[in-house]
Amino acid sequence: MKWAVFIPRFLPERVGGDAIYVRDFTKNLVKKGEEVHIFTTTRMSSLAGVQEEEGVKIHRIWVEKGNAGVLRFKIRRRLTEYFKKIDKEIKFDILNIHAPFVINYGGLRKELKIVY
């Protein structure tokens, strides 16, 4: 299966309970043979882009300030459009969200399963 995991803040350092959980969760999915992509934001332009860590592809989308969240609709729009572009070629099976309002669900493929 192909997994897309959204987390607003996912630093290279092991910081924060949610980030540590996502790191361990995705690493274990890869061990089971799953394809895993993490989508997150970064305010550090040097981190923007796609990196691979222990078989997990991490998509870090640069934002001017803050992280994805309720009041960051411009960022949410950017994340949604980026995800739709990647999903068009990869065709994810499962979208796993680790924060509210990170992505706009409208317009996503109907076959895509969304779990929280």
Side-chain angles (χ1 to χ4, degrees):
M1 294 187 84
K2 298 175 185 174
W3 289 72
V5 178
F6 270 82
I7 181 170
R9 190 174 176 115
F10 190 77
L11 300 171
E13 302 83 18
R14 292 187 168 281
V15 179
D18 200 28
I20 291 171
Y21 170 80
V22 167
R23 189 175 310 276
D24 291 343
F25 173 66
T26 56
K27 192 169 28 171
N28 283 314
L29 286 172
V30 168
K31 284 180 186 175
K32 292 180 180 219
E34 310 288 340
E35 180 178 339
V36 182
H37 295 250
I38 293 175
F39 294 84
T40 189
T41 58
T42 183
R43 289 180 286 175
M44 298 170 57
S45 59
S46 61
L47 287 178
V50 182
Q51 297 89 31
E52 189 163 332
E53 181 181 301
E54 299 183 61
V56 177
K57 287 197 170 121
I58 304 168
H59 302 256
R60 288 192 171 94
I61 296 99
W62 181 78
V63 294
E64 304 83 21
K65 56 185 174 184
N67 291 297
V70 179
L71 301 177
R72 307 283 185 204
F73 294 113
K74 182 178 174 185
I75 294 169
R76 184 173 74 169
R77 187 176 326 117
R78 189 181 315 159
L79 283 170
T80 302
E81 291 307 313
Y82 180 84
F83 173 75
K84 286 165 74 172
K85 181 179 120 188
I86 302 299
D87 182 49
K88 196 176 237 183
E89 74 180 59
I90 293 177
K91 301 273 191 260
F92 292 103
D93 298 302
I94 298 176
L95 174 59
N96 182 229
I97 308 290
H98 287 270
F101 306 106
V102 177
I103 186 172
N104 180 357
Y105 306 115
L108 298 181
R109 288 182 305 109
K110 290 181 181 14
E111 306 83 28
L112 184 62
K113 291 178 180 67
I114 301 173
V115 295
Y116 300 90

